[in-house]
Amino acid sequence: MAAAIEIPTIVFPNSSAQQRMPVVGMGSAPDFTCKKDTKEAIIEAVKQGYRHFDTAAAYGSEQALGEALKEAIHLGLVSRQDLFVTSKLWVTENHPHLVLPALRNHLSETLQLEYLDLYLIHWPLSSQPGKFSFPIEVEDLLPFDVKGVWESMEECQKLGLTKAIGVSNFSVKKLQNLLSVATIRPVVDQVEMNLAWQQKKLREFCKENGIIVTAFSPLRKGASRGPNEVMENDVLKEIAEAHGKSIAQVSLRWLYEQGVTFVPKSYDKERMNQNLHIFDWALTEQDHHKISQISQSRLISGPTKPQLADLWDDQI
């Protein structure tokens, strides 16, 4: 087997401990087109060099991830200290008094870990405790107590149950609200980002405020509405051919050059490997200009039914 690839890391600007996060992680969001066993795929990913694994309470993949990492450690492929594990708090537990019990439960029952490296608020929404549904019924939503929830997230970090805390799907406005009440600042905002949804305004705000952006759906997969505006883009096809690379590699290289981290999901051994071969070449200035002209539209409009008009605060 080929040697594992060394993945670059990025230091959290807001972390006093100089905590490092691998720039590429392996996503594990539900994908009903994917039939390969999650546990088997994660062990293969560890062998290839992946060290960052992204999951969430809502994905249903925490158990398989926990078992796979336990086995990888037992086989001597990796140590816990080498790994970076991210999980997320679901909206039903997004209440001040439920944050800590939720994390403790996920660590002991499903992930079988002593701590997370990063714990995120999955959405800036709260819903009826104990009533899991997806999409979330709007009538089940409750007021989101951002100050109270964040204080509980801070407590999780102080207790050592997670090394860092952050958010997911927060707009600039919602980040501003959070920063106004936070004692420990969020280190990450994980959002949809790809070449057809480049999130320039959010990236600039996060850079100014020491927040790392992590891109989910970096290849614009994750919803089956019409053509994939990244993977079926003629401009990207030309750029990829000029470099002798795949469109996926061009897409991930662009994210890397923006200083963004990303969590593509592939359980295919060859594609997993291709997604790591993006560090020894670069896009040209002309490539960047062409990419900046790509038509922009959001793919994931939100987790509720019906959709909320003010979830994104009209952010482009």
Side-chain angles (χ1 to χ4, degrees):
M1 194 185 87
I5 290 173
E6 188 85 20
I7 296 172
T9 58
I10 194 164
V11 176
F12 288 144
N14 289 335
S15 164
S16 57
Q18 291 289 291
Q19 189 183 1
R20 291 183 166 272
M21 175 187 193
V23 298
V24 186
M26 182 176 176
S28 61
D31 178 356
F32 302 106
T33 64
C34 181
K35 296 181 173 63
K36 191 171 175 72
D37 177 70
T38 301
K39 185 177 170 184
E40 184 187 327
I42 288 163
I43 291 172
E44 172 60 32
V46 171
K47 289 177 180 175
Q48 291 197 18
Y50 285 86
R51 295 295 179 263
H52 177 189
F53 294 90
D54 180 86
T55 184
Y59 293 170
S61 58
E62 284 186 327
Q63 186 93 36
L65 175 61
E67 289 174 4
L69 295 182
K70 193 174 180 180
E71 186 170 324
I73 291 167
H74 177 71
L75 291 170
L77 298 174
V78 72
S79 71
R80 174 64 184 95
Q81 290 72 28
D82 297 328
L83 295 168
F84 189 101
V85 182
T86 300
S87 194
K88 307 177 194 78
L89 176 77
W90 188 238
V91 296
T92 51
E93 295 164 327
N94 205 8
H95 304 275
H97 68 292
L98 295 180
V99 174
L100 188 55
L103 177 53
R104 281 195 163 123
N105 182 57
H106 291 295
L107 285 171
S108 62
E109 297 298 319
T110 50
L111 287 162
Q112 303 169 62
L113 296 172
E114 290 183 8
Y115 64 90
L116 288 177
D117 296 277
L118 179 62
Y119 196 37
L120 307 178
I121 297 174
H122 204 150
W123 290 92
L125 299 169
S126 299
S127 72
Q128 293 283 354
K131 189 177 178 184
F132 183 88
S133 66
F134 192 88
I136 305 153
E137 300 291 342
V138 165
E139 55 265 30
D140 289 335
L141 292 178
L142 296 169
F144 172 39
D145 176 3
V146 64
K147 187 175 189 292
V149 166
W150 192 252
E151 284 172 355
S152 297
M153 294 286 286
E154 291 175 340
E155 185 65 15
C156 291
Q157 182 172 328
K158 288 171 188 169
L159 291 171
L161 297 174
T162 183
K163 291 192 170 182
I165 51 178
V167 296
S168 182
N169 300 300
F170 272 52
S171 65
V172 167
K173 184 178 176 183
K174 288 181 171 64
L175 282 174
Q176 287 170 329
N177 291 342
L178 173 57
L179 290 172
S180 73
V181 299
T183 302
I184 299 173
R185 294 162 71 88
V187 294
V188 162
D189 187 9
Q190 184 179 129
V191 295
E192 178 195 341
M193 184 176 160
N194 49 65
L195 294 184
W197 190 241
Q198 296 177 15
Q199 295 268 35
K200 190 166 185 243
K201 183 182 173 186
L202 181 73
R203 279 189 284 125
E204 287 171 354
F205 178 84
C206 286
K207 189 174 182 180
E208 288 164 9
N209 287 277
I211 299 169
I212 301 296
V213 174
T214 296
F216 71 75
S217 296
L219 304 177
R220 207 167 170 88
K221 296 177 179 178
S224 53
R225 294 198 306 270
N228 184 315
E229 287 149 336
V230 170
M231 302 302 285
E232 298 169 42
N233 184 293
D234 289 339
V235 170
L236 295 178
K237 189 178 178 188
E238 282 177 23
I239 293 171
E241 285 174 356
H243 288 279
K245 303 294 178 184
S246 68
I247 290 176
Q249 287 172 317
V250 168
S251 301
L252 298 179
R253 177 67 201 187
W254 181 85
L255 290 166
Y256 177 60
E257 291 185 14
Q258 308 311 308
V260 168
T261 61
F262 37 96
V263 285
K265 178 187 174 180
S266 177
Y267 287 178
D268 177 84
K269 185 174 179 178
E270 184 55 39
R271 282 200 294 272
M272 260 193 236
N273 189 259
Q274 280 184 13
N275 289 348
L276 297 183
H277 283 85
I278 60 168
F279 302 116
D280 57 354
W281 58 281
L283 295 167
T284 66
E285 201 173 316
Q286 191 177 16
D287 293 337
H288 279 279
H289 177 70
K290 288 177 181 175
I291 287 168
S292 72
Q293 305 300 305
I294 293 172
S295 176
Q296 298 292 293
S297 63
R298 187 186 297 282
L299 180 67
I300 313 293
S301 50
T304 61
K305 181 183 173 185
Q307 300 297 341
L308 299 174
D310 63 346
L311 180 62
W312 304 111
D313 305 303
D314 296 323
Q315 183 180 300
I316 300 300

